[in-house]
Amino acid sequence: MNIAIVGTGYVGLVSGACFAETGATVTCVDVDENKIEALKKGIIPIYEPGLDELVVKNVRAGRLKFSTCLPDIINEQEIVFTAVGTPPDEDGSADLKYVLQVAKTIGENLNRYLVVVTKSTVPVGTSRKVYTAIKKELDKRGVDVQFDVASNPEFLKEGNAIKDFMSPDRVVIGVESERAKKILTKLYKPFLINNFRVIFMDIPSAEMTKYAANSMLATRISFMNDIANLCELVGADVNKVRAGIGSDTRIGRKFLYAGCGYGGSCFPKDVKALIKTADDNGYSLEVLKAVERVNERQKGVMFEKLKRSFNGESLAGKKIALWGLAFKPETDDMRESTALVVMKKLLDEGCIVTAYDPEAMKECKRIMGDSIIYCNDMYEAVNGADALLLLTEWKEFRLPDWEAIGRSMNRKLVLDGRNIYDKEDLNEHGFEYHCIGK
Ligand SMILES: NC(=O)c1ccc[n+]([C@@H]2O[C@H](COP(=O)([O-])OP(=O)(O)OC[C@H]3O[C@@H](n4cnc5c(N)ncnc54)[C@H](O)[C@@H]3O)[C@@H](O)[C@H]2O)c1
Ligand SMILES: O=c1ccn([C@@H]2O[C@H](COP(=O)(O)OP(=O)(O)O[C@H]3O[C@H](CO)[C@@H](O)[C@H](O)[C@H]3O)[C@@H](O)[C@H]2O)c(=O)[nH]1
């Protein structure tokens, strides 16, 4: 089966490598020539566990190829997926220019039947726009080629992308033609051989499912962050509350972790876009508006705690160490990460910021330049520091040598934004310790 994936980012590259792993012949297409050149040499542009091996293996097997030219390969494909970015526009709506550019290119070059599948996260009605854009170009050329559009939103999480893609909880496909449904069933069968969890539905419902899923998950997090802040005021412990409510199967245990706010390329942008879709349709999504407000506030909580620990004393000139810069562990992605908000606040206050992240140092340098001090490891970052802020719960931060850290810090103060340390343990080592929701 020949398929192409247009847009070779987190989603496009992971999907391409995983489809190739099941035996499909996949061409990953991108307009970024440097990225494609690097991939052809086996250099993977992002950090995602297991991705290097999977890409290299499938390239060697001849099942995974790269191209910068969709027109060259389009008429050899049965399916073309669009996995380009849909960044937020100034008003919060999803910017569809890349998706529609791809549709135009398809219409300008298509000569035989094709299923065009939108994998990017797009608002309801986008597949219709994709259909119209392709048809318009075909009509201009005066050719009568059959094609179908479908919606297949992606639910993978960064840092766990390959596992999520290879063994999905479910695959959602919005499709309105039997021919396209049959082709997509064939493609997804290898992933779900013994338990075919593909949910077919109409296209608008598939498009909406993606936003509703991310919004529900973001809601759980903001809800727990709100409860955590209240726990602090009334003397409860949010970790115990989480265990207490998560054991109710109607609630479930996942995505209930209070912390210093959610980030990433998806939750913030998708919550905004859904709010905008509703506003455009004359409906106000009150719950989601609150979810967003709570998250904005939560990203400032670590800084507020730091200020409180210094009891009104100026933070200017204080050396503050940050552990974790990525928006979550196991990725180098810093889009909308809490660290960006914290760094800005610290620098505005005149602090000296030292930082360490196992994978996101290069990305941080690209964004922050020389405004902070980049350290070679977690221990170098805390050397002479007046406080340590844990912002991303990487595994290597879980069991630090507190004795050594205590000797090297200027003030023994730890603020834990992901609740991974034990207060009693830290206090025993002579540290002042604060976390979220306790
Ligand atoms: N990152 C995730 O974890 C994730 C998960 C599920 C869904 N999504 C959604 O998937 C989509 C892609 O996200 P991403 O994180 O992979 O984006 P990304 O920014 O990592 O990658 C997008 C790629 O598309 C390329 N591109 C742009 N215009 C192009 C064109 N006309 N032709 C070919 N390539 C083009 C860019 O050069 C870039 O390499 C978004 O809609 C996002 O919301 C992302
Ligand atoms: O209990 C939790 C779980 C997550 N987070 C934070 O939420 C953010 C997002 O985390 P996660 O969902 O694991 O990563 P993403 O890669 O952004 O994945 C989300 O966004 C993707 C893009 O749409 C979807 O495909 C995934 O299903 C959805 O989980 C991160 O900042 C986490 O620190 C919490 O604060 N508490």
Side-chain angles (χ1 to χ4, degrees):
M1 198 169 195
N2 284 352
I3 67 172
I5 319 254
V6 187
T8 310
Y10 281 89
V11 170
L13 186 57
V14 170
S15 312
C18 291
F19 281 133
E21 179 69 7
T22 65
T25 303
V26 183
T27 308
C28 283
V29 182
D30 205 286
V31 284
D32 185 337
E33 290 178 9
N34 293 333
K35 191 180 263 189
I36 293 298
E37 270 321 298
L39 280 163
K40 281 181 177 168
K41 288 184 197 135
I43 303 165
I44 312 298
I46 50 171
Y47 174 74
E48 180 61 47
L51 189 58
D52 296 43
E53 297 89 315
L54 200 66
V55 168
V56 169
K57 176 182 164 199
N58 283 285
V59 167
R60 285 208 182 114
R63 290 191 299 261
L64 184 59
K65 303 171 203 173
F66 300 99
S67 168
T68 51
C69 189
L70 180 58
D72 280 358
I73 53 125
I74 188 150
N75 290 304
E76 296 154 15
Q77 311 303 326
E78 243 180 296
I79 309 171
V80 169
F81 283 91
T82 307
V84 295
T86 47
D89 234 336
E90 271 162 27
D91 62 2
S93 59
D95 185 347
L96 298 179
K97 70 170 175 280
Y98 305 114
V99 171
L100 295 175
Q101 254 166 25
V102 176
K104 186 167 182 284
T105 309
I106 293 174
E108 286 166 345
N109 294 281
L110 193 65
N111 290 325
R112 48 171 264 188
Y113 177 77
L114 182 71
V115 186
V116 180
V117 186
T118 305
K119 201 169 240 321
S120 302
T121 302
V122 293
V124 173
T126 303
S127 293
R128 183 75 355 236
K129 289 184 183 161
V130 166
Y131 182 89
T132 308
I134 297 173
K135 186 80 174 70
K136 190 173 151 199
E137 294 306 319
L138 290 175
D139 289 348
K140 262 197 212 164
R141 289 164 54 214
V143 291
D144 182 21
V145 178
Q146 297 295 302
F147 70 97
D148 282 306
V149 293
S151 161
N152 172 216
E154 181 49 56
F155 298 98
L156 64 79
K157 298 183 291 300
E158 288 180 24
N160 202 47
I162 291 171
K163 272 197 212 132
D164 286 345
F165 198 94
M166 292 306 263
S167 332
D169 284 345
R170 70 347 195 154
V171 171
V172 169
I173 300 181
V175 67
E176 287 163 9
S177 107
E178 275 309 313
R179 188 173 178 187
K181 186 175 174 185
K182 219 168 145 190
I183 293 172
L184 288 165
T185 301
K186 187 170 135 196
L187 179 71
Y188 273 110
K189 198 87 189 170
F191 293 90
L192 302 159
I193 274 184
N194 298 318
N195 188 0
F196 194 63
R197 294 178 299 271
V198 179
I199 307 174
F200 287 106
M201 58 182 79
D202 59 278
I203 292 177
S205 301
E207 290 171 333
M208 181 56 100
T209 298
K210 174 65 195 178
Y211 283 101
N214 273 1
S215 297
M216 166 67 96
L217 294 168
T219 301
R220 285 169 72 93
I221 298 167
S222 272
F223 174 79
M224 286 311 283
N225 284 337
D226 237 5
I227 293 291
N229 296 337
L230 181 59
C231 281
E232 283 180 22
L233 296 172
V234 299
D237 176 349
V238 75
N239 295 316
K240 302 209 169 98
V241 174
R242 187 190 67 246
I245 65 173
S247 52
D248 182 331
T249 51
R250 292 172 302 175
I251 295 175
R253 291 176 197 283
K254 292 180 181 169
F255 276 75
L256 288 182
Y257 288 82
C260 51
Y262 64 74
S265 66
C266 295
F267 286 173
K269 140 176 113 61
D270 295 346
V271 167
K272 268 193 183 57
L274 194 57
I275 289 172
K276 182 69 174 57
T277 300
D279 284 343
D280 288 349
N281 283 279
Y283 187 76
S284 177
L285 284 172
E286 294 299 319
V287 171
L288 277 194
K289 285 179 181 171
V291 165
E292 213 185 9
R293 279 199 306 275
V294 169
N295 196 51
E296 290 304 311
R297 187 175 62 190
Q298 201 65 12
K299 285 181 169 179
V301 155
M302 296 299 282
F303 181 73
E304 295 307 320
K305 284 181 187 287
L306 181 70
K307 277 210 315 209
R308 274 203 300 279
S309 299
F310 278 88
N311 252 331
E313 192 190 330
S314 164
L315 293 180
K318 300 277 184 245
K319 193 171 180 184
I320 310 299
L322 306 184
W323 281 0
L325 300 166
F327 82 94
K328 63 181 279 189
E330 299 299 334
T331 181
D332 57 356
D333 197 339
M334 285 186 67
R335 288 180 279 186
E336 303 275 346
S337 84
T338 297
L340 291 173
V341 175
V342 172
M343 281 189 281
K344 182 168 184 323
K345 285 181 187 286
L346 293 173
L347 292 173
D348 285 351
E349 201 77 7
C351 299
I352 300 159
V353 179
T354 61
Y356 174 70
D357 185 286
E359 292 296 335
M361 301 298 271
K362 201 170 139 207
E363 177 63 359
C364 191
K365 265 186 204 157
R366 191 184 68 75
I367 302 169
M368 300 297 294
D370 292 330
S371 57
I372 66 160
I373 298 166
Y374 301 94
C375 300
N376 292 315
D377 62 50
M378 56 197 266
Y379 293 100
E380 189 183 319
V382 292
N383 198 7
D386 295 291
L388 162 63
L389 272 56
L390 181 286
L391 302 179
T392 319
E393 67 278 29
W394 284 91
K395 283 204 186 73
E396 70 179 73
F397 297 151
R398 305 260 169 140
L399 203 58
D401 180 347
W402 291 121
E403 281 303 317
I405 292 168
R407 283 193 298 273
S408 82
M409 282 182 81
N410 187 43
R411 177 175 167 185
K412 293 169 81 172
L413 169 61
V414 173
L415 303 178
D416 177 358
R418 299 289 172 188
N419 291 356
I420 63 171
Y421 301 128
D422 183 36
K423 187 176 187 336
E424 285 67 40
D425 184 28
L426 269 283
N427 290 162
E428 268 170 32
H429 285 94
F431 284 86
E432 179 185 341
Y433 172 81
H434 303 282
C435 59
I436 307 278
K438 191 176 163 180

